[in-house]
Amino acid sequence: MEEFLGPQAQYNEEEEERKYYRRKRLGVIKNVAASSFGAMIVYSVYMGLLQMQLTLHYDMTYREVKYSNLGLEDIDRKMLMGINVTPIIGLLYTPVLIRFLGIKWMMFLASGIYALFVSTNYWERYYTLVPSAVAIGVAIVPFWASLGSYITRMAQQYYEYANYKEEHVQEQRKLPKGACYSYIITFQSIFFVIFNLSFVFAEFPMRLVLHEYLHENSHVLCNVKTCGAAIKGIIPGFNSTVLRNLPRSMLLIEVESILMGFAFLAMIIFLLLCGPAYRPTEEIDLRSIGWGNIFQLPFKHLRDYRLRLLCPFFIYSGLEMLFIISGFSLSYGVCILGIKTLWLLILVYARWVCLMGGAAVHGVLLVVLLAMTVKPNSPEYLGPLLVIMVLWGLGSALNKTGVSTVVGLLYAEEKERLDFVYTIYHWWQAIAIFVVYLWSQMPMRAKLSILLATLLLACCCYWVMERRVAQKVKPRMPRIPRPRHKVKGYRYLEEDNSDESDSEGSEEDDDEDEEERTEEDERVVEE
């Protein structure tokens, strides 16, 4: 018995502790990779299916033969409206959903909504496609806000596990300024490198399934007079029939079944491979500040000058992303080279994976596009368009990674604020996407001018923000209320004496409230 219960001579506590935290660090890396691949699969399925669906529904013969008077064109218009318009109200409910469900479960639920959209394509009707598109619009902002918060939180966790011997880590105090910056930059870069592969895999249905059914350029571009900066709308005169013959219904069902399988795979990845973002006690703290406060805090965070000055970059991020997919790819790529080359343009856009560097690349390209007017069916422009697409992809990768990283760095030490600030970021991005959806009939030069003006404004605001941060101008951040630990429905383990009487506890609570009121009054007077 003494040999069994006594101290083991071969047991090394320090070595076991080191191995334990090494496993924890590997778990964090697994979480980052799993969330990145999950998001990549979700958007590969979503964009691939949407592109194939819109191409089929555009063809007049497909609509008349297969669906007669169903009105697929009107259904597509309302479906795109649901996807692009609904995220505008995302600021009202996103923080509440994330705090109620948690970051991991919010990502899982959002991926399930994308899978629901895939399933509705088995029975293409108004009452299946439009509600599922609206559901995607509702889920977009919470999904991306959760992803941004999750990656930043993983960087914080990695720092804690790598420096577990530090006193501030053991006592779970606030992290020192700049402690986890390198991890945030690394993890955000890893996420966007993996996620950008979704543009590659999204072209598989178009290239492997529909490519052989598409008409040649001489047919689809026969009525198109000019392309590039001189046009108004998308592609004026584009032929209403793009399919040589209709694909078999069974073939389309098989493709949708494969996409459905990958959508379920993404859900399983989020559910089984992504670990929790917070400790259980931290989750309780985050939810215990009151639902009214959770609803108000995103609006109050807009008083922070750092977020206000980053808003133009948030807007430009949404503008350029949808413009390159729906504007440049169609008005320049398809208009000049034909619809059969669309997959190649998107492919080279995704192969390239610092904020101002991306802005400089996009600024030069926007000036080039403003001066570019080309005749349709000009295959000699394939090389220049591929170069433009590659450089734009490089700028987009730098832009997306840079914006998300800057937001994470500014609030690296504020764990409880991450979901609010990422919600604001993706809400402004959603508004910009809605603007691009509305301007489809505008002249191309007007679209490019708006993009260029937004980019210049974003660069100026970013420079002002960096100057203020360097001068240590204190931002005006709202105070997050303390968690209400003593709430009916669950027990919360507190560090203070659990045997205290109610009178003692109430006196201490009154003292704490008085101190908080005094600090708040002093802060208001100082401001």
Side-chain angles (χ1 to χ4, degrees):
M1 184 65 68
E2 289 179 358
E3 291 179 0
F4 181 74
L5 296 178
Q8 301 294 321
Q10 298 179 350
Y11 180 76
N12 188 332
E13 183 177 357
E14 185 175 348
E15 179 66 19
E16 292 298 324
E17 187 180 42
R18 188 181 63 81
K19 290 180 180 179
Y20 170 78
Y21 281 103
R22 184 178 62 184
R23 290 194 298 269
K24 286 288 188 180
R25 292 195 297 273
L26 292 175
V28 169
I29 295 174
K30 180 262 298 180
N31 293 340
V32 173
S35 59
S36 303
F37 278 105
M40 183 267 291
I41 294 173
V42 165
Y43 265 76
S44 298
V45 171
Y46 165 63
M47 293 189 295
L49 178 64
L50 191 62
Q51 183 183 8
M52 185 177 71
Q53 180 191 60
L54 294 177
T55 303
L56 290 173
H57 292 182
Y58 177 81
D59 187 82
M60 184 175 62
T61 306
Y62 181 86
R63 295 198 305 266
E64 291 181 354
V65 172
K66 298 201 69 172
Y67 292 95
S68 184
N69 59 351
L70 185 61
L72 276 182
E73 196 171 7
D74 182 60
I75 291 176
D76 286 347
R77 187 162 50 248
K78 292 180 178 177
M79 185 180 68
L80 291 175
M81 185 181 297
I83 294 174
N84 292 293
V85 175
T86 314
I88 292 178
I89 60 173
L91 193 65
L92 301 178
Y93 57 82
T94 297
V96 177
L97 280 179
I98 293 177
R99 290 294 172 99
F100 180 74
L101 296 171
I103 292 178
K104 173 186 173 179
W105 289 102
M106 187 66 249
M107 295 191 298
F108 172 74
L109 177 63
S111 64
I113 292 176
Y114 281 92
L116 172 67
F117 176 76
V118 178
S119 67
T120 56
N121 282 266
Y122 285 111
W123 187 251
E124 295 178 311
R125 296 294 185 273
Y126 181 89
Y127 53 83
T128 58
L129 292 178
V130 176
S132 63
V134 172
I136 281 187
V138 171
I140 284 176
V141 176
F143 182 58
W144 279 100
S146 300
L147 282 172
S149 301
Y150 190 79
I151 298 299
T152 305
R153 183 68 190 110
M154 288 300 105
Q156 295 169 341
Q157 281 190 9
Y158 194 91
Y159 170 81
E160 293 170 357
Y161 295 145
N163 300 273
Y164 61 91
K165 293 184 179 180
E166 299 291 337
E167 184 178 353
H168 63 273
V169 174
Q170 293 179 354
E171 296 180 2
Q172 298 183 18
R173 296 203 305 264
K174 189 175 179 179
L175 299 181
K177 185 71 174 177
C180 56
Y181 281 7
S182 59
Y183 302 122
I184 293 177
I185 295 171
T186 302
F187 287 175
Q188 291 286 356
S189 301
I190 290 173
F191 171 79
F192 281 102
V193 166
I194 296 175
F195 175 78
N196 280 349
L197 294 176
S198 61
F199 293 97
V200 175
F201 295 114
E203 294 307 308
F204 280 15
M206 193 74 180
R207 181 64 183 88
L208 301 178
V209 179
L210 286 188
H211 191 265
E212 302 302 325
Y213 295 92
L214 297 174
H215 266 299
E216 299 299 327
N217 297 345
S218 57
H219 175 80
V220 297
L221 300 176
C222 61
N223 296 321
V224 180
K225 304 302 181 185
T226 184
C227 301
I231 70 173
K232 180 180 179 181
I234 302 298
I235 311 178
F238 198 69
N239 204 317
S240 58
T241 56
V242 296
L243 298 176
R244 288 190 292 106
N245 51 349
L246 303 184
R248 294 179 296 106
S249 297
M250 198 62 198
L251 174 64
L252 298 179
I253 291 176
E254 291 171 357
V255 173
E256 290 163 4
S257 300
I258 294 173
L259 295 177
M260 193 68 198
F262 278 104
F264 277 123
L265 175 62
M267 294 178 64
I268 293 173
I269 289 175
F270 283 124
L271 180 63
L272 300 181
L273 297 183
C274 291
Y278 293 95
R279 302 183 185 93
T281 53
E282 288 178 327
E283 290 277 9
I284 293 173
D285 284 351
L286 293 174
R287 296 172 188 170
S288 300
I289 65 175
W291 297 113
N293 289 317
I294 293 175
F295 177 78
Q296 296 175 20
L297 280 170
F299 301 94
K300 292 182 178 179
H301 274 86
L302 284 171
R303 295 181 294 186
D304 186 347
Y305 74 84
R306 298 174 297 180
L307 283 179
R308 289 203 308 270
L309 291 173
L310 280 174
C311 282
F313 253 123
F314 299 162
I315 295 173
Y316 178 76
S317 179
L319 292 177
E320 67 89 8
M321 179 177 63
L322 198 59
F323 168 77
I324 196 64
I325 294 175
S326 63
F328 176 82
S329 298
L330 299 178
S331 300
Y332 286 85
V334 173
C335 185
I336 297 174
L337 302 174
I339 194 170
K340 283 192 171 184
T341 320
L342 176 61
W343 69 273
L344 182 59
L345 293 173
I346 302 298
L347 182 68
V348 298
Y349 168 76
R351 292 294 293 272
W352 287 93
V353 170
C354 197
L355 200 54
M356 301 305 289
V361 173
H362 279 183
V364 174
L365 293 178
L366 286 171
V367 174
V368 171
L369 293 178
L370 276 168
M372 190 173 181
T373 302
V374 187
K375 293 182 179 180
N377 200 9
S378 303
E380 65 272 14
Y381 281 91
L382 175 61
L385 287 178
L386 290 179
V387 172
I388 291 175
M389 207 64 168
V390 167
L391 293 177
W392 195 286
L394 172 63
S396 293
L398 292 173
N399 177 271
K400 296 291 187 301
T401 308
V403 172
S404 191
T405 302
V406 166
V407 173
L409 296 180
L410 292 177
Y411 297 89
E413 296 80 29
E414 306 284 346
K415 299 178 184 179
E416 67 277 7
R417 300 182 190 274
L418 289 177
D419 50 346
F420 297 122
V421 296
Y422 276 104
T423 296
I424 292 170
Y425 164 32
H426 292 290
W427 177 68
W428 279 109
Q429 195 177 60
I431 290 179
I433 291 174
F434 173 63
V435 171
V436 177
Y437 169 73
L438 291 179
W439 77 12
S440 59
Q441 299 305 317
M442 287 178 61
M444 179 55 67
R445 283 198 171 94
K447 300 176 185 178
L448 294 171
S449 300
I450 293 173
L451 275 171
L452 187 58
T454 307
L455 180 61
L456 294 175
L457 176 63
C459 292
C460 293
C461 291
Y462 179 74
W463 178 78
V464 172
M465 186 211 73
E466 288 288 2
R467 185 179 179 186
R468 289 190 184 181
V469 171
Q471 293 173 349
K472 298 183 179 179
V473 178
K474 190 174 181 180
R476 185 185 178 189
M477 290 194 295
R479 185 179 65 86
I480 294 183
R482 287 189 177 184
R484 301 168 185 171
H485 293 165
K486 296 179 180 179
V487 179
K488 294 180 180 179
Y490 61 83
R491 292 185 179 182
Y492 190 91
L493 300 178
E494 302 184 70
E495 294 182 357
D496 48 344
N497 185 12
S498 60
D499 295 330
E500 66 181 3
S501 63
D502 292 338
S503 60
E504 292 173 349
S506 61
E507 289 175 2
E508 291 182 4
D509 291 341
D510 292 340
D511 293 340
E512 290 179 358
D513 293 340
E514 184 65 29
E515 290 177 2
E516 289 181 2
R517 283 195 295 269
T518 303
E519 292 176 358
E520 182 70 16
D521 293 340
E522 291 177 355
R523 187 177 64 82
V524 171
V525 171
E526 183 181 1
E527 290 177 355

